[in-house]
Amino acid sequence: MADGGVTLRHRAREIPVALRVAILYLLARLITTGFIALAAGLSGPASRFGADATVSELLMGWDAQWYWSIVTQGYPTDLPVDLAGDVQQNQWAFMPVYPVLANLVGLPLGSYAAGAFLVPVVAGYLACLVLYRLLRDRLDETATMWAVLLFAAGPLAAMFHLGYAEALFLLWLFLALRCLQRRRFGWLYLLIPLMGYTRPGVLAFALLLGLYGIWRWFRRRRDPLPVREIVHIIALGLIAVIVGFSWQVIAGIVTGDMSAYLDTELSWRRGWLSAEESGFVPFAGFVQAAGMWFRLWGMPSALGYAALAVCVGAVAWLLLSERHVRRLGVVVRLWSASYIVYLLAVFFPQSSIFRLLLPLSPLYGALAAPRSTWWRVAMLVLGLAGQWWWIYSMLAQGNAYTQIP
């Protein structure tokens, strides 16, 4: 019996990686499709989508509508404002690469929605393939495949179906991390702009490059750091910073208001905060939200601040000391730290925080690293349960600030 199991595993490993990943990805997509169809049937009159919602309506809801409006209306030259003169939500908060690509794919099919669905589905599969390569150098074959499965079937797996830019951004990101891991710096000159104009987050990659350069510098006696690589690291870091801030400049030039992008982003948090609090101060968003959410939950704000401090400390310990995270290598760990610092600096936590954690997906390798099959199965079950909770809460019931995907 044991010999049969070994033989079966050996035969499975003879199947090309691309096909094995495709099988896992397809199974995960079928499950997610079932969840979304069930959520459509459970959508009630209080939902944003109303009773008798369809799957296509769920896939093209919420932020997918903003991407669609970029294709149909473009970016506004005059910012929409309310009676108080405050900038309202508009297309400038969303980058152009995904909707343009979705429109190109959808043109021969006669439907933008078809392209908006196909792009994340295909990008998600390709991201799984790159994730496999990213982790395989650090983990054994079984752990790597489990990490890919946990990613493909995780709590935010609906992002591989919805008309959002996340799946495409993950593809660019994983490719960029793999290039940095293998020191193929040339490709990053293309990938950094693609990331930067797909969705916000490229400034975190700029921080990663800075930390990576410092790490390489201190290791230069054991791991030579040629002048050519120093030039690449510095140049790419500068390009990432320029790309990261360029969208603000573009929005300012088009609208004639250099604060257009920032005011647009702040419009999403204005409903939560007073006029005095709703301005942008780096790292203030998480502190403000910690106090606010705990007050809304009927608990003291001080408890929220303490919880935030505990979470930050726990994340720092995981990235610095947890042995399974350390196994993933310095590139994944530095990226994770950089992205978390970026979120802490610029984001105001709302229900969309779950979606914004997706770029930390290489850490699925740490969840898959323990050799216990029971542990991996438990993580998969928890991921599927979390996926259903997210789909049901944000799509079938989504109708308020606390239920926005």
Side-chain angles (χ1 to χ4, degrees), residues 358-383:
L358 264 176
L360 298 173
S361 293
L363 293 176
Y364 274 116
L367 281 180
R371 291 183 176 275
S372 168
T373 301
W374 288 107
W375 167 266
R376 292 165 175 166
V377 170
M379 292 300 101
L380 177 60
V381 171
L382 284 175

Side-chain angles (χ1 to χ4, degrees), residues 174-217:
F174 293 172
L175 284 169
L177 293 176
R178 180 58 173 164
C179 288
L180 191 60
Q181 193 181 61
R182 301 197 67 191
R183 302 178 185 178
R184 302 286 179 84
F185 297 103
W187 285 103
L188 292 176
Y189 290 95
L190 172 63
L191 290 168
I192 286 173
L194 285 173
M195 281 192 289
Y197 297 121
T198 297
R199 69 176 305 279
V202 74
L203 289 175
F205 201 83
L207 178 57
L208 163 64
L209 287 167
L211 295 176
Y212 175 81
I214 293 170
W215 177 75
R216 289 288 306 278
W217 177 261

Side-chain angles (χ1 to χ4, degrees), residues 80-97:
V81 296
D82 60 15
L83 295 176
D86 293 323
V87 174
Q88 299 298 286
Q89 297 173 4
N90 64 83
Q91 294 95 310
W92 281 111
F94 303 90
M95 309 305 181
V97 169

